[in-house]
Amino acid sequence: MSRRAWLLAALGVAVVAFVANLMWPDTAATSGRPASNQQRRGTAARGQTDGVLNPDELKVRLEVLDEERPAPGGAERNPFRFKPTAPPAPPPGANTTAPPPTVPSVPPGPPAPPPITLKFMGIVVRENGARIAQLSDCKGATWAVAEG
């Protein structure tokens, strides 16, 4: 075998070993020991130690469903409560009348052209290189329009 074939075979074996290592079950996960102090503290607070369940936690308390629930409170729901605040009032004695803003006058120009009611459908290129646009009025009529 050539050197390149041996290198590819070794690379394949290394990849298979790496994937097998990732998929192989970890011994720490199967030992029953919590992986962190947070989990250990949480199980001890619930009365569980080393995987043993507290029998009082396993009882189903159906009588709790029959108890009377508290009435909904009179809380007000206002989705507009975050509106912007009003500007502060001017101090007393301040001039509250402002002169109207001056708007520069623009001389009127020619009227705008009417809107184009045609829709572009596509371009057809003929054998001689001429390009023809296809337009439609969306009412059934189509036009073939050349440049110019």
Side-chain angles (χ1 to χ4, degrees):
M1 284 180 97
S2 69
R3 183 175 180 175
R4 182 175 180 171
W6 280 107
L7 287 175
L8 286 176
L11 179 65
V13 169
V15 168
V16 169
F18 179 73
V19 170
N21 186 25
L22 288 178
M23 295 178 65
W24 199 266
D26 194 16
T27 56
T30 58
S31 67
R33 237 181 23 195
S36 71
N37 290 339
Q38 293 286 27
Q39 288 177 345
R40 192 175 305 125
R41 231 181 281 131
T43 56
R46 288 192 306 258
Q48 299 175 2
T49 55
D50 296 329
V52 178
L53 295 175
N54 186 355
D56 294 333
E57 290 182 359
L58 299 176
K59 293 181 183 176
V60 178
R61 298 176 288 151
L62 293 177
E63 64 276 358
V64 174
L65 296 175
D66 296 331
E67 293 178 1
E68 186 174 336
R69 291 173 183 78
E76 182 180 325
R77 182 172 183 261
N78 184 3
F80 303 106
R81 67 179 172 250
F82 297 112
K83 59 186 168 190
T85 58
N95 186 6
T96 58
T97 59
T102 58
V103 178
S105 62
V106 178
I116 299 174
T117 58
L118 301 175
K119 294 197 180 215
F120 177 74
M121 302 302 289
I123 293 180
V124 175
V125 180
R126 292 201 170 162
E127 292 176 359
N128 62 1
R131 295 169 34 143
I132 299 175
Q134 297 291 324
L135 304 172
S136 172
D137 65 353
C138 297
K139 295 179 182 173
T142 58
W143 289 275
V145 183
E147 184 178 356

